[in-house]
């Protein structure tokens, strides 16, 4: 979701952001708050939301913020909204929320006012929750400000509190054999900051799930797995697709050619991120849309 370009920030602004994070962190709830969260089948869950911010290629200011809502358990899109935005705050590691959350918050508030019956009961966020330098990542920030249950789902391990992507970590990943297998991310502080989850039988790279707000880690991991048709949870994947398509239309770019293999929904995601998916990804890149293979559009 973030465009990882380092930005300079005045010390007084950085201090202000740290104080705001600490203030909001005190409001984080890390336990289940809804009956559906405690049900093994998530009975009562009907709508799951996902958010994304995508950037115009080569532009650290112009971006598109998207919110989608999917039916559950069908995982079909029932609502989507995207808008072009100008991000004025620089990217600073550990403070992504101050760059992106204001625009995502506006989309949630707009939905709440216009079509409250389609409000998601939980939001999945492409980023971290309590798995964060100060225990308050973008999923926590958005959760507290929207007062919605939120789950952080990251594609890469944030190396904090002694967590490292070292040989031991890679061996634990290798032992994740099937969809739903996971292991705890235990920091040097003795705190479990999240879980590494194998979200799909055909994906060897895990997702890193952490608590955002109003949901336990156990429920967050189960829900993330249940929302995966491919490696990336469908709410996040669809928000990513919507934001990139909105950029394409806003810039008047031609539709990139779609490999024939993508015209039908595959029953399993391609192994890794090469082959069939890369053609679409590089085609998007060639039309002015920032895409990384890490995005896992499939």
């Amino acid at each position: 979701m973030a465009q990882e370009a380092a930005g300079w920030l005045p010390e007084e602004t950085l201090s202000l952001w740290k104080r705001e994070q600490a203030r909001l962190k005190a409001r984080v709830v890390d336990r289940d708050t809804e009956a559906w969260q405690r049900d093994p089948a998530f009975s009562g869950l009907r709508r799951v939301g996902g958010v994304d911010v995508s950037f115009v290629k080569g532009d650290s200011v112009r971006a598109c913020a998207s919110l989608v809502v999917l039916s559950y358990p069908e995982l079909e899109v029932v609502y989507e909204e995207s808008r072009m935005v100008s991000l004025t705050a620089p990217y600073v590691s550990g403070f992504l929320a101050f760059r992106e959350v204001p625009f995502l918050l506006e989309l949630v508030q707009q939905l709440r006012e216009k079509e409250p019956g389609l409000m998601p009961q939980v939001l999945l966020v492409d980023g971290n929750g309590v798995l964060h330098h100060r225990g308050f990542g973008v999923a926590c920030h958005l959760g507290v400000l929207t007062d919605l249950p939120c789950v952080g789902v990251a594609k890469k391990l944030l190396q904090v509190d002694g967590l490292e992507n070292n040989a031991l970590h890679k061996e634990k990943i290798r032992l994740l054999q099937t969809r739903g297998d996971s292991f705890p991310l235990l920091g040097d502080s003795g705190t479990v900051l999240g879980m590494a989850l194998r979200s799909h039988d055909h994906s060897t790279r895990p997702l890193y799930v952490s608590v955002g707000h109003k949901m336990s880690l156990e429920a967050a991991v189960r829900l993330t797995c249940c929302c995966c048709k491919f490696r990336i949870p469908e709410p996040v994947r669809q928000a990513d697709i919507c934001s990139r398509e909105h950029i394409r239309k806003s810039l008047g770019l031609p539709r990139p050619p779609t490999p024939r293999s993508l015209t039908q929904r595959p029953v399993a995601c391609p192994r890794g991120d090469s082959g069939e998916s890369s053609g679409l990804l590089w085609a998007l890149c060639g039309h002015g849309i920032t895409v990384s293979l890490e995005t896992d559009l499939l």
Side-chain angles (χ1 to χ4, degrees), residues 54-114:
S54 295
F55 288 79
V56 175
K57 184 180 180 182
D59 193 328
S60 62
V61 174
R62 286 190 302 166
C64 177
S66 291
L67 165 68
V68 299
V69 181
L70 277 63
S71 61
Y72 187 89
E74 300 84 4
L75 298 178
E76 299 294 335
V77 176
V78 297
Y79 173 90
E80 61 182 72
E81 180 65 34
S82 299
R83 65 175 59 169
M84 296 299 295
V85 297
S86 295
L87 283 74
T88 55
Y91 171 78
V92 180
S93 178
F95 298 94
L96 174 65
F98 293 95
R99 180 167 168 80
E100 298 185 355
V101 161
F103 304 103
L104 300 176
L105 179 60
E106 286 179 2
L107 290 173
V108 174
Q109 290 173 334
Q110 174 183 302
L111 174 57
R112 183 174 275 139
E113 294 168 2
K114 290 175 57 177

Side-chain angles (χ1 to χ4, degrees), residues 125-167:
V125 180
D126 179 10
N128 291 296
V130 299
L131 176 57
H132 180 265
H133 305 286
R134 286 167 297 283
F136 193 74
V138 63
C140 296
H141 205 125
L142 185 61
V144 168
L145 293 183
T146 60
D147 197 35
L148 289 172
C150 242
V151 177
V153 184
K155 296 184 285 289
K156 294 182 179 180
L157 175 66
L158 184 61
Q159 302 188 58
V160 297
D161 195 17
L163 295 175
E164 293 184 59
N165 189 21
N166 53 21

Side-chain angles (χ1 to χ4, degrees), residues 165-293:
N165 189 21
N166 53 21
L168 177 59
H169 183 77
K170 291 174 181 176
E171 176 61 18
K172 289 180 179 180
I173 291 174
R174 191 186 67 79
L175 295 175
L176 301 177
Q177 295 297 304
T178 60
R179 173 191 178 100
D181 287 354
S182 63
F183 64 83
L185 301 170
L186 181 64
D188 286 347
S189 64
T191 302
V192 174
L193 300 174
M195 296 286 283
L197 168 70
R198 180 163 181 163
S199 60
H200 198 281
D201 285 333
H202 295 272
S203 178
T204 57
R205 292 184 301 156
L207 297 174
Y208 296 97
V209 181
S210 57
V211 169
H213 187 48
K214 287 189 168 183
M215 198 164 184
S216 69
L217 180 58
E218 186 272 337
V221 171
R222 284 195 298 116
L223 179 63
T224 299
C225 195
C226 288
C227 286
C228 288
K229 293 181 178 180
F230 307 100
R231 179 192 177 218
I232 304 302
E234 200 66 6
V236 173
R237 193 179 80 95
Q238 290 297 331
D240 177 86
I241 291 172
C242 288
S243 62
R244 296 182 192 284
E245 177 65 7
H246 190 79
I247 289 176
R248 184 191 69 78
K249 290 180 178 179
S250 297
L251 299 183
L253 301 172
R255 183 181 296 277
T258 302
R260 189 172 64 178
S261 59
L262 298 184
T263 59
Q264 298 179 346
R265 181 178 293 279
V267 296
C269 63
R271 188 172 186 84
D273 293 310
S274 58
E276 294 176 354
S277 63
S278 62
L280 174 60
L281 294 173
W282 292 121
L284 288 171
C285 284
H287 287 90
I289 302 175
T290 299
V291 178
S292 164
L293 290 181

